[in-house]
Amino acid sequence: MLKQNRSIEQERSAVLWGDAPHRGYETAINGYAPLLDRIRKDSLKAEVERVLPFEALRALKENGFTAFRVPTRFGGLGRSVSELFSAVIDLATADSNVAQALRAHFGFTEHLLYEKPSPYTERWFERLGKGDTAGAAAAEKGAERERFATTLSYKDGRWVINGTKYFTTGSLYADWLTVTGSTEDGQTVKCLAARTDPGLEIVDDWDGVGQRLTASGTAHFKDVAVQDDLLRYGNTEFPYSQAFFQLYHLATVAGITQAAALDVAHAVKTRKRGFSHANHDLPAHDPQILEIVGHVASAAHAARSIVRHAADALQTAVESRESERGPHTLKAELEIWQAQEIIFPLTLNATSLLFDSLGGTATVRTAGLDRYWRNIRTIGCHNPRVYRTRVVGDYIVNGALPPGQWRVGTV
């Protein structure tokens, strides 16, 4: 029986995607439903006409979504990490470009949450609580494995950044950039820089087949001032950072597949003509076509459920406060690596299969249905699952623990 305060469409979604996760997520996300709906309605036009999502990200900042994990005393929502990944799925369902553009930002927030309270964390939580966001500036083309080409040096009484970064996802929309580089004597350092610094140029030259609006292009630094003149030396990543950032990708993929399922269902429902040898005049009543829609919806449901399960394992690692990659963190990593092995082929197949339920018009660029496969394929190339799957096998057969974080920054 339908609940009186929920529409039939909401009930269908509950069946397809599963009930809202525990820890009060539904209460937290309900206020964002109109905004997410608006972003989703604009996403096709944005993709076809290449409209960068400045407006969507501005609205998310102003409405507090970007402060999802920021403690309440700083103006944030103070929600759990497991809830965050449900929020990422819902945001990626609306527009996966927007979701991925915030990956570095939520990672920076998580880093602050892991650290012991200090003037540094207080200062940045205050900024994030007011809606500021951070983008990434770590990866470089052809960098040495042990040293970044981007350098930090002391000049005219301050620390400055010089060099070029690639894969600066979301930085074009952010207020701050989290920068990783090397000092002149070869030490790895991390710092923050203001996007509005006159010495910083961000170029929207990302030309990937998918995730085209993430602004994952190039950033040039010329004597850019280090914010607060503060350098942090060595590998300062939080212990569960590998698991966090890879699960973020999987949550984005789950959202992409959910959006694909909703779109193909709508396309089949509104299509007025079937093939001459079809089982019914209307595709909406053709059992073979309905089976395809069911396959796509089932893939979306499975991906979302797997991500949520892995997010619970990550939640346990967060709550353990392990100072290093302890047993809870390693367990979360292994769960997420196994999830990668299943989710990517499952969702790539689903977003290709959906075309079999429609006619040739489904392939026109203005329909935008191709973006779902392209976006998943692009995300799947970041830290390919083949290496993760080998790690899982090595652990099961030989008891070998997952390797630590590789040196981030080479592409």
Side-chain angles (χ1 to χ4, degrees):
M1 181 180 296
L2 294 177
K3 298 175 184 176
Q4 304 226 337
N5 63 337
R6 299 181 73 177
S7 68
I8 292 176
E9 291 300 324
Q10 286 174 319
E11 288 295 329
R12 283 180 180 171
S13 292
V15 171
L16 287 174
W17 320 130
D19 289 330
H22 48 280
R23 301 186 179 95
Y25 173 71
E26 189 170 2
T27 301
I29 202 65
N30 272 348
Y32 294 101
L35 175 56
L36 296 179
D37 286 344
R38 188 164 73 246
I39 292 173
R40 176 162 166 73
K41 288 176 182 177
D42 293 340
S43 64
L44 176 58
K45 176 182 173 66
E47 176 76 17
V48 173
E49 299 181 9
R50 190 169 173 73
V51 179
L52 296 177
F54 284 101
E55 175 59 27
L57 285 156
R58 181 196 60 77
L60 290 167
K61 292 180 183 183
E62 291 180 352
N63 287 274
F65 189 95
T66 57
F68 196 88
R69 288 276 285 147
V70 173
T72 55
R73 70 187 184 94
F74 295 105
L77 300 185
R79 308 305 304 189
S80 69
V81 74
S82 61
E83 291 174 330
L84 172 65
F85 287 103
S86 288
V88 173
I89 293 172
D90 287 337
L91 180 57
T93 301
D95 190 329
S96 65
N97 292 285
V98 176
Q100 191 178 354
L102 290 172
R103 179 172 174 257
H105 166 73
F106 284 121
F108 177 59
T109 304
E110 201 63 35
H111 195 167
L112 294 174
L113 287 165
Y114 175 77
E115 291 198 6
K116 293 180 180 180
S118 67
Y120 174 84
T121 61
E122 296 257 332
R123 181 164 60 252
W124 283 104
F125 275 139
E126 288 175 358
R127 289 166 174 165
L128 301 186
K130 293 176 182 177
D132 282 10
T133 58
E140 297 176 355
K141 287 184 176 180
E144 300 175 23
R145 290 188 64 86
E146 303 303 324
R147 186 186 181 111
F148 287 91
T150 298
T151 60
L152 285 88
S153 56
Y154 203 68
K155 181 178 180 181
D156 298 330
R158 63 175 187 174
W159 284 101
V160 295
I161 310 165
N162 284 281
T164 295
K165 293 292 188 180
Y166 191 59
F167 276 151
T168 57
T169 304
S171 293
L172 190 63
Y173 315 118
D175 302 286
W176 309 96
L177 272 68
T178 56
V179 185
T180 308
S182 296
T183 59
E184 292 175 318
D185 60 357
Q187 295 186 76
T188 297
V189 290
K190 295 178 184 294
C191 63
L192 284 107
R195 183 181 59 79
T196 54
D197 192 293
L200 175 56
E201 178 190 15
I202 299 177
V203 184
D204 180 29
D205 58 354
W206 167 241
D207 63 351
V209 298
Q211 295 297 95
R212 292 174 173 173
L213 306 180
T214 57
S216 299
T218 305
H220 301 290
F221 295 81
K222 184 176 181 180
D223 287 339
V224 173
V226 171
Q227 183 65 24
D228 302 325
D229 210 34
L230 179 62
L231 302 184
R232 317 196 90 194
Y233 290 85
N235 184 3
T236 59
E237 296 295 335
F238 48 100
Y240 54 93
S241 61
Q242 278 197 98
F244 179 92
F245 285 115
Q246 293 310 309
L247 186 58
Y248 197 103
H249 278 324
L250 295 181
T252 305
V253 167
I256 293 169
T257 314
Q258 185 165 295
L262 293 170
D263 275 5
V264 71
H266 177 74
V268 167
K269 182 178 180 179
T270 56
R271 186 169 168 78
K272 301 303 182 185
R273 181 175 62 86
F275 289 100
S276 59
H277 48 283
N279 300 291
H280 197 281
D281 291 341
L282 291 177
H285 297 290
D286 187 319
Q288 285 184 280
I289 300 301
L290 295 176
E291 182 179 11
I292 293 171
V293 175
H295 277 302
V296 180
S298 298
H301 172 73
R304 181 169 186 140
S305 298
I306 293 170
V307 168
R308 283 178 170 176
H309 181 80
D312 283 341
L314 187 60
Q315 180 72 42
T316 300
V318 172
E319 292 172 355
S320 72
R321 299 296 297 178
E322 293 170 333
S323 59
E324 297 179 351
R325 290 170 64 243
H328 296 296
T329 299
L330 293 171
K331 180 180 184 295
E333 288 181 4
L334 287 166
E335 285 207 26
I336 293 165
W337 301 171
Q338 290 176 88
Q340 284 183 299
E341 169 62 17
I342 300 302
I343 287 177
F344 279 115
L346 177 71
T347 57
L348 284 168
N349 178 67
T351 50
S352 177
L353 182 66
L354 67 84
F355 288 95
D356 289 336
S357 65
L358 302 166
T361 53
T363 64
V364 299
R365 185 169 176 268
T366 53
L369 293 174
D370 63 306
R371 73 189 191 275
Y372 298 126
W373 185 93
R374 290 189 291 100
N375 290 344
I376 294 172
R377 181 63 277 173
T378 299
I379 293 174
C381 289
H382 299 317
N383 312 123
R385 75 179 193 275
V386 60
Y387 298 114
R388 312 296 194 177
T389 308
R390 183 262 305 167
V391 168
V392 171
D394 200 11
Y395 173 77
I396 293 173
V397 174
N398 301 310
L401 296 177
Q405 178 84 326
W406 61 93
R407 199 212 68 157
V408 178
T410 306
V411 297

